[in-house]
Amino acid sequence: MNENVEYAVEMRNITKCFGSLTANDKVSLKVRKGSIHAIVGENGAGKSTIMNVLYGFYRADEGEILINNQPSKINSTHDAIALGLGMVHQHFMLAGALSVTENIILGSEPTSGPMIDYKAAKEKIKSISSQYGLQVNPEKIVENLSVGEEQRVEILKTLYRGAKILILDEPTAVLTPQETEEFFTILRALKNQGKTIIIITHKLAEVLAISEKVTVMRLGKVVGEVETKNTSAEELAKLMVGREVLLRIDKSQYGKPREENILSIKNLSLSDTYGANLLSDISFDIKAGEVFGIAGVEGNGQTELVEVLSGLRPPSTGTIALQGQDITACNSRQAKELHIGHIPEDRHKRGLLLNSPLTENAILGLQNNTKLVGWPLLKENQITSHTKKLIQEFDVRPPDPDIAVRGLSGGNQQKLIIAREFSIAPKFLIASQPTRGVDIGAIEFIYKKILELKASGAAVLLVSAELDEVFSLSDRVAVLYEGKIVGIVEPEKISQQEIGLMMTGGKKSQTSKT
Amino acid sequence: MQRIVDALLFPLLAVVSAFLVGAVIVLLVGDNPIRVYEIFFASAFGTVDGISYTLFYATPLICTGLAVAIAFRCGLLNIGAEGQLIIAAFAAAWVGFTLDTSKWLVIPLCMIAAIVAGGIWGGIPGLLKARFGSHEVINTIMMNFIAVGIVSYFTQYYYRLPGDPILQTKPIVEQAHIPRMNAILAPLGIDFPAWLPLNLGFVIAIIACVVVYVFLWKTKWGYELRAVGVNPSAAEYGGINVSRSIVIAMCLSGALAGLVGINEVLGYRYRYYDGFSAGYGFTGIAVALLGRNHPLGIFLAAILFGSLVRGGLFINIFSDRVSKDLVVVLQAIIILFVACEAFFSFLQKPSTGGKS
């Protein structure tokens, strides 16, 4: 490679340990000035850690960092900002009640005398936003912004402080396809004006679309550094997981939906205590052997729909029927007894007793099953063997029924939940964000299990924020927007772009004002 | 076994540290800590009398410790064990001086009265929490005041013997007395001094420990109750009726606190004596905390706190400069050390979960 290439960031042999865990093991990284550099890897691969070291959140135990070819000590985020680094976190750090301007200048307020010089601040923000095409109204209150706009505010915040190197942690996780494209346009504009961008992501398609170079991490080490134009999604996935991964699931081999309706929902509505509609007039059927997907931007009624269907919350009006039997009034216990499985969207909030052992988690929801629970005592041997069976069938690691679930990785926790829900032989499975925070290897496994369940004649409701997931698994997809179904489509007959449009209400996407 | 050692480690360290700090305080007031602790241990554990008094003082604390723990396992803070045990003691006394029948009838009825009264008094804040979401901490505190007021009123105006200068009810009938340790151990050929107040109440407290353990960890209801305590959202998801678990936990908590009434009224004073409780309900919180909300831990912690009462009396009398207030200081320091467990965490291995 050309010797006089300028590197904006160079990290040499960075090692960072947390107790006995080595999060980064001699990680080296070179980012060319004015390029877009992607870092990919599974959960726990150490990609966030290395960026937090760069941004001064953590101090490396070993190794050195060069910024613009100068050895640099970064002991705090202050140092990092002074060196021209800026970081946008996956979860935005904005004060919702304040205006865009106030958020951007927070911590580096321009003053005239004792007063904040809002006029100067606004001028500066306007000039930055027009320079990079980051359109946002500086007067607006942040909580009224769309997610895409919030992200632009975050980027503006870093640019306002003079950042020349931007670190973006999973920036597209919360965006619709349209918003993602606009976001990429912005990234390219930034790059063309000389900024260096480091983007952490796990979406391989985006890596291929936007980056010039990719660093792949696995288990705290760099396992590959490739030029984007010389690689493919398959190769990257293989590097990330360490083995061949099936990226495209062929759902056709799991059969077509049958004639019989398993679930029928009619005119389902739900309003909150103030009378606002959370769900309005939702009707659909799911057939035996069908995966019915729900697409939509998060917060458009998905959570509520799942709560209603799983018996956690009664609907305001409408009916739910399972194989013709009215189950509208069933609570979550009765739903379980009717073989309705539920993989909850937030496994820590709903799905698990984190500090309890695997055994107690394996019987959550099954505590009325007389095979496991006698009178008056629990049947401990049966519970242990039931747990071991779940562990074995779903390859949960470590395979110890007595350790606390907290000690398991996200993927293994999710596998335990899925194993438990599958153990009731579900006729109807509600799978809400089944692969959230799960690594690629486990995702493949979970997809296969869901499709096997479908093939066995169960009905599956799949709710996911990952459009790819909904597309590749579902036989039909309903798009939810503001609590209403705006359309039910077959994924083969529609593009992701069109779905994306429907996700924002079929109107022009909010972010396309630019 | 390893788990038990691990669980005991921090509370033990807290106790040892508290005693060390106590020693410094003794030095500061100009006394000899070795001699003071010698008095303490000799009086609390050195003789049959000492041990049995220690156990007698521990008995109500075992009950209230269990009461606090069972609520805590369901995610609830029962600050109202004090009120619950007062109501329970009064109920036991009322049955005891009202029913003049055979001991086979009156003793069980007195016990049931104590358990039910305590259970109801605990169940009310539970119901309020489950039904209206009002916070159990506030409500149990308020229920304490109500209990004290009601019971004092009835004692004063209805059940005090004419001319009695002490605020206490008339005595319960002879048949309602439960046997003291000397009567319990005599058939086994053990000669136990008759003057010692240790009684059947202590045995009941031990049985309660076992029952609570089995209930919490071996039955479905205990599982449900703990699931609610660990993660109510997940419990609800698992089809557990969270509201019902809350009510049950508070009822059981009150009932366990009510056991104090059995020890006190049927086994010791044979009447309701206003102000008999030396803050047992509140000390029970400390006992539960030190005992890590586990029956075995609570049993041991209660004995420690019982010994502090017994030893405190003797330190007060036989040491030169230390009053029994030091014992209160020790108690407070133990609790402080237990509460800031992180202080000892440097001893912990850096592993994250999992046993090897």
Side-chain angles (χ1 to χ4, degrees), chain B residues 46-333:
Chain B
T47 61
V48 173
D49 284 26
I51 292 171
S52 66
Y53 266 104
T54 291
L55 296 181
F56 173 69
Y57 293 133
T59 304
L61 300 178
I62 295 173
C63 302
T64 53
L66 289 174
V68 173
I70 205 166
F72 191 82
R73 287 284 177 187
C74 191
L76 301 161
L77 259 176
N78 179 11
I79 317 282
E82 188 75 7
Q84 291 144 19
L85 68 88
I86 286 174
I87 286 283
F90 184 79
W94 186 85
V95 174
F97 57 65
T98 307
L99 288 184
D100 191 0
T101 56
S102 119
K103 72 173 180 182
W104 298 110
L105 194 60
V106 72
I107 289 179
L109 284 178
C110 285
M111 290 182 176
I112 290 168
I115 290 166
V116 169
I120 291 173
W121 212 251
I124 293 169
L127 208 61
L128 291 173
K129 165 105 179 180
R131 191 83 186 77
F132 305 109
S134 58
H135 206 287
E136 79 280 0
V137 167
I138 308 291
N139 287 333
T140 49
I141 292 174
M142 293 306 140
M143 295 285 285
N144 285 343
F145 293 115
I146 298 173
V148 170
I150 287 180
V151 168
S152 293
Y153 173 81
F154 279 103
T155 309
Q156 167 86 346
Y157 294 105
Y158 290 89
Y159 301 111
R160 179 142 81 159
L161 285 176
D164 190 339
I166 301 169
L167 187 54
Q168 60 185 10
T169 64
K170 54 195 169 188
I172 60 173
V173 297
E174 194 107 341
Q175 307 90 287
H177 296 193
I178 54 174
R180 293 206 169 175
M181 234 14 146
N182 126 287
I184 296 169
L185 294 178
L188 304 172
I190 299 169
D191 186 22
F192 195 82
W195 66 82
L196 293 172
L198 193 64
N199 61 66
L200 186 66
F202 177 65
V203 180
I204 292 174
I206 291 176
I207 294 171
C209 285
V210 176
V211 169
V212 167
Y213 173 76
V214 171
F215 172 82
L216 277 179
W217 280 280
K218 305 287 172 190
T219 71
K220 173 190 142 186
W221 310 293
Y223 169 76
E224 295 196 339
L225 199 146
R226 285 186 297 117
V228 171
V230 179
N231 185 346
S233 296
E236 186 194 15
Y237 154 86
I240 295 166
N241 187 331
V242 174
S243 302
R244 196 176 62 194
S245 295
I246 288 173
V247 177
I248 289 174
M250 283 304 291
C251 282
L252 292 175
S253 180
L256 286 164
L259 297 180
V260 175
I262 294 172
N263 181 57
E264 183 69 22
V265 174
L266 308 183
Y268 178 48
R269 291 186 200 264
Y270 306 128
R271 52 167 33 104
Y272 179 81
Y273 165 74
D274 196 65
F276 76 88
S277 170
Y280 299 142
F282 303 114
T283 312
I285 299 169
V287 169
L289 184 66
L290 183 62
R292 298 202 143 195
N293 295 302
H294 189 285
L296 180 63
I298 287 165
F299 180 76
L300 297 174
I303 288 174
L304 174 74
F305 277 77
S307 73
L308 289 175
V309 178
R310 168 78 180 174
L313 290 172
F314 279 70
I315 291 175
N316 198 28
I317 298 166
F318 294 108
S319 74
D320 299 328
R321 288 161 178 265
V322 182
S323 74
K324 70 172 188 284
D325 300 325
L326 176 72
V327 172
V328 180
V329 173
L330 266 188
Q331 279 190 4
I333 293 172

